[in-house]
Amino acid sequence: MNARNLIFWVINYISFGCLVGQDADLPQNHFIEYFMDRMDIMGKFENTFQSSLKPLPREYIACYITQIDSNELSYKDLHTYFRARYVVDDDFNDSLRCIPEFNVGFRKYFSGLYQNRRDLVSYCTENFKVYINPILELRLGREGSNRPNSIPSIYQNTRGANFRVRLGKKLGFYSEFMENQIRFPSFVRFIDSTSVLRGGIFPGVGYWKPFKENGVDFGLTKAYLTYSPLSQLRIKMGRDRNFLGNGIQSLFLSNFAVDYWFTSFRLDLKKIHYYWQVSQMVDYIPYKSDAYGRQPAKYAVHHQLFWNPRKNLSFSVLESVIYASASPNQSREFELQYLNPLIFYRTVEQLIGSADNSLLGISFKWNFLKSLQVYGQLVIDDYNFGNRKIGKGWWGNKTGIQAGIKYLNVATIDQLDLQLEFNQVSPYTYGHTNPASNYSHYGQFLAFTYGANAREITAKLCYQPLPRLYVVLQGIYAQKGMDKNGLHYGGNIFRTGNVHFQDYNNQILQGRLLDLKVGHARFSYQLFYTDIFLELDAWYRIQNLENTNSIREWVILGGLRLGGFKSLWHF
């Protein structure tokens, strides 16, 4: 290879893609996230769109939206395109307030509010921008269940606000607070019966207090800084939750657990993307008294390297380490050697003689025919080929696999999109000999919703019959092997691996079998260009646990949502 070809190769592989600037992230599960995924599959972007790292930065989305040729879009996609740009592109949005015909009505009735029809309060100068918006979710519903402690009426009352600031071209700030009073459906209130998380807590919730009859009262807050010292580098520090993957579930890191503190950086070099994150989490102790002190801390480090040989093809390798600040024999503070983002952590772990909980993973995403995407993840918590030669099903060979496909415009029907996904995680995966170092935060799984010793098949159908109306139909069939007769069969990651059921002949779904069928429908209608939605959710669940009576239940819950994170209960 001569010098000219070498220079061309280097420029081609590290030339900057869509640059990530300073700004807040889009709320996860937002309709724009789905729209960008759709545009990526249809090949509308010039470079690889990194959809595996969520939440997506607003500036990143805005940059890619400008690459879309709006003349090539269908009527419904074109409508969503303008609404998406309106939400994430501040420069485009701010320019609209200069058009007298655009905001004359809002000026008349709302004075200084909603001057851009998107933000309750906005103030913009060349190097300083502030946006303030309310958060509101008011929902009422009913449920029917043969559980002995079910209550027919359910509700949600959420109020809050978010505050977004942009300083110059490098620094951004975001803060959000929500106060909640909720009576969850029975399948959420009794979630610990399915071993989806530890007793005494709820998914996505931290500290809570009882509220009236079977209700809970809790606050949720997130806040973070974003800084871009270089146009291709984005640093984020604060409290939030993250998701790594292209599926409904993630075997690497999901947004199922409550928010946690972390620092991350994201490097975008067109064909090479790199993500690094270090986090402080909580080793939750159920029903802890105040005399005990604070909840113990635990730490996690994730880094993931992406290689994008073509704009429609991406591969990645991931490594993560989780360890507790306390073990049976010693107390530790944060391990500074894990702050090196460019090193192989497993080697460091062996060097310092620490048996931390390390995990390796690989993933891929391939878009083709402008209508199909296949994706997958493979996670290896531990694997020993020597023990495999001795016998099958060694308890320490802990792996998980995900395979999925997305198909756009099914049967040539515009906006009718299908997603099929399969997840399977072997017994004892995500657990550890020291239970405090398991793959959890505040008693909630950090990855696959069902933890270990489980299998799930999901079908998801999305349809947009009208430009502002979204319909999502989802069916889930899941199975999980639970503990039986006090023995650890590999489904409970909060138990130590030292007391595993047997050394060999372990197999998926061993133990007491839990069989779960879930049907979910969501109808969401956007009232205005801002994030104001009328929503209706309905669930039907059939839960069968070996040697117990079958549980059948239905839930209907509807109301108004203004901004905020849209929770999805995949269990």
Side-chain angles (χ1 to χ4, degrees):
M1 180 182 292
N2 57 39
R4 178 179 297 179
N5 290 337
L6 179 60
I7 293 174
F8 174 81
W9 185 88
V10 172
I11 293 176
N12 184 57
Y13 267 75
I14 69 170
S15 58
F16 309 144
C18 211
L19 308 182
V20 179
Q22 88 309 338
D23 201 3
D25 296 326
L26 188 74
Q28 294 187 59
N29 303 321
H30 198 282
F31 78 90
I32 296 178
E33 185 179 295
Y34 166 72
F35 172 73
M36 297 300 288
D37 194 37
R38 181 178 168 84
M39 293 296 101
D40 180 34
I41 296 173
M42 295 172 66
K44 300 297 184 181
F45 303 133
E46 297 174 4
N47 302 317
T48 300
F49 179 71
Q50 193 48 262
S51 59
S52 300
L53 302 176
K54 300 181 183 75
L56 299 172
R58 287 173 176 267
E59 191 88 356
Y60 188 72
I61 298 172
C63 181
Y64 271 88
I65 281 183
T66 59
Q67 299 179 12
I68 299 174
D69 185 352
S70 59
N71 296 319
E72 297 180 352
L73 300 179
S74 67
Y75 169 72
K76 294 175 184 176
D77 277 334
L78 182 63
H79 198 281
T80 307
Y81 162 81
F82 281 112
R83 286 189 293 123
R85 190 174 180 188
Y86 181 80
V87 170
V88 301
D89 192 337
D90 290 335
D91 294 333
F92 174 74
N93 186 279
D94 294 338
S95 67
L96 297 178
R97 71 169 66 217
C98 301
I99 304 175
E101 296 81 3
F102 178 79
N103 57 9
V104 62
F106 279 70
R107 281 180 175 172
K108 179 179 179 181
Y109 295 106
F110 295 98
S111 184
L113 305 180
Y114 286 112
Q115 289 302 289
N116 57 8
R117 290 196 182 183
R118 184 192 67 179
D119 303 292
L120 177 67
V121 176
S122 58
Y123 176 79
C124 304
T125 64
E126 182 179 356
N127 293 312
F128 179 66
K129 297 184 178 183
V130 179
Y131 306 97
I132 302 174
N133 280 293
I135 297 174
L136 184 68
E137 190 161 3
L138 303 174
R139 300 202 292 175
L140 293 173
R142 302 285 292 180
E143 77 168 10
S145 173
N146 61 349
R147 294 179 188 265
N149 297 318
S150 67
I151 296 178
S153 62
I154 55 178
Y155 58 83
Q156 177 175 358
N157 180 5
T158 297
R159 298 91 57 215
N162 62 55
F163 181 74
R164 183 164 63 94
V165 179
R166 300 179 65 177
L167 298 171
K169 297 184 180 298
K170 293 186 177 182
L171 186 63
F173 170 77
Y174 180 83
S175 181
E176 172 184 299
F177 174 77
M178 292 185 290
E179 173 65 17
N180 307 268
Q181 286 85 39
I182 300 178
R183 180 184 289 162
F184 287 113
S186 294
F187 71 87
V188 179
R189 290 194 294 121
F190 301 109
I191 190 174
D192 53 321
S193 66
T194 59
S195 190
V196 172
L197 43 71
R198 230 171 191 175
I201 54 175
F202 303 97
V205 177
Y207 174 77
W208 60 271
K209 298 179 294 183
F211 180 77
K212 295 185 177 180
E213 185 180 7
N214 290 298
V216 295
D217 185 333
F218 61 93
L220 290 175
T221 184
K222 64 177 64 177
Y224 53 82
L225 290 170
T226 60
Y227 177 60
S228 297
L230 303 173
S231 57
Q232 63 272 27
L233 176 63
R234 184 180 194 254
I235 300 173
K236 179 178 177 181
M237 181 178 67
R239 182 179 177 87
D240 200 355
R241 64 183 79 178
N242 300 290
F243 187 97
L244 303 179
N246 293 285
I248 301 169
Q249 300 271 10
S250 174
L251 305 187
F252 294 169
L253 180 65
S254 76
N255 53 24
F256 180 69
V258 69
D259 305 297
Y260 46 85
W261 185 94
F262 69 94
T263 297
S264 69
F265 72 70
R266 175 174 176 163
L267 186 65
D268 181 3
L269 299 177
K270 188 178 177 180
K271 291 186 177 293
I272 296 176
H273 291 176
Y274 181 70
Y275 180 78
W276 176 84
Q277 170 184 315
V278 57
S279 314
Q280 178 176 311
M281 299 181 177
V282 173
D283 175 30
Y284 176 72
I285 299 176
Y287 312 109
K288 177 190 68 67
S289 68
D290 292 339
Y292 182 89
R294 61 154 289 173
Q295 294 279 4
K298 60 193 296 185
Y299 303 95
V301 185
H302 297 77
H303 61 161
Q304 190 170 7
L305 178 65
F306 296 86
W307 175 51
N308 313 307
R310 302 172 63 90
K311 74 172 187 177
N312 65 328
L313 183 62
S314 178
F315 301 95
S316 83
V317 292
L318 169 135
E319 184 185 24
S320 70
V321 176
I322 294 184
Y323 69 95
S325 58
S327 66
N329 299 317
Q330 65 176 336
S331 178
R332 308 168 57 185
E333 295 303 324
F334 183 78
E335 189 62 62
L336 294 178
Q337 299 197 58
Y338 288 141
L339 289 177
N340 186 343
L342 305 178
I343 202 167
F344 187 54
Y345 292 134
R346 179 62 173 170
T347 303
V348 173
E349 180 189 352
Q350 294 173 334
L351 178 66
I352 63 178
S354 173
D356 297 329
N357 191 2
S358 60
L359 181 147
L360 297 175
I362 59 175
S363 71
F364 78 96
K365 180 188 74 172
W366 180 34
N367 301 328
F368 58 100
L369 300 179
K370 296 186 176 181
S371 62
L372 289 168
Q373 179 188 96
V374 292
Y375 61 91
Q377 293 180 335
L378 172 66
V379 63
I380 303 173
D381 192 0
D382 198 1
Y383 206 89
N384 189 305
F385 285 97
N387 283 294
R388 185 176 180 179
K389 294 178 181 179
I390 298 175
K392 294 182 179 180
W394 184 56
W395 77 275
N397 284 347
K398 301 178 286 186
T399 61
I401 186 171
Q402 177 187 89
I405 183 170
K406 300 175 184 178
Y407 178 28
L408 305 185
N409 302 327
V410 177
T412 68
I413 300 175
D414 186 36
Q415 306 298 320
L416 182 62
D417 301 337
L418 175 66
Q419 182 174 2
L420 301 174
E421 183 172 298
F422 172 80
N423 294 283
Q424 178 173 293
V425 178
S426 64
Y428 307 103
T429 306
Y430 301 126
H432 196 252
T433 53
N434 177 10
S437 295
N438 59 32
Y439 214 71
S440 72
H441 162 57
Y442 214 92
Q444 303 162 50
F445 297 159
L446 283 172
F448 186 38
T449 301
Y450 299 96
N453 196 20
R455 177 186 294 151
E456 179 201 49
I457 300 175
T458 302
K460 182 178 180 182
L461 194 65
C462 300
Y463 186 46
Q464 193 176 352
L466 299 173
R468 296 187 184 184
L469 178 62
Y470 299 88
V471 179
V472 179
L473 304 176
Q474 184 167 293
I476 301 173
Y477 178 58
Q479 294 177 301
K480 180 177 176 67
M482 308 277 284
D483 289 349
K484 182 168 60 175
N485 299 326
L487 299 177
H488 184 18
Y489 281 82
N492 186 353
I493 73 170
F494 300 104
R495 298 186 65 176
T496 175
N498 289 333
V499 294
H500 50 273
F501 168 60
Q502 56 188 5
D503 289 339
Y504 294 94
N505 297 316
N506 292 282
Q507 54 186 339
I508 189 73
L509 303 181
Q510 64 185 10
R512 191 181 182 191
L513 183 63
L514 171 70
D515 192 273
L516 185 63
K517 302 179 182 71
V518 181
H520 175 223
R522 166 168 281 175
F523 301 87
S524 183
Y525 183 77
Q526 186 177 15
L527 294 178
F528 304 105
Y529 279 96
T530 191
D531 285 344
I532 302 179
F533 294 87
L534 288 176
E535 292 185 332
L536 179 67
D537 286 275
W539 290 267
Y540 185 74
R541 300 175 79 257
I542 302 175
Q543 177 180 313
N544 291 293
L545 181 60
E546 186 179 316
N547 297 326
T548 62
N549 295 327
S550 175
I551 295 176
R552 296 173 181 267
E553 50 200 337
W554 57 264
V555 177
I556 297 178
L557 185 63
L560 176 71
R561 179 173 63 86
L562 174 57
F565 173 81
K566 185 162 60 176
S567 299
L568 300 174
W569 296 324
H570 295 304
F571 47 83

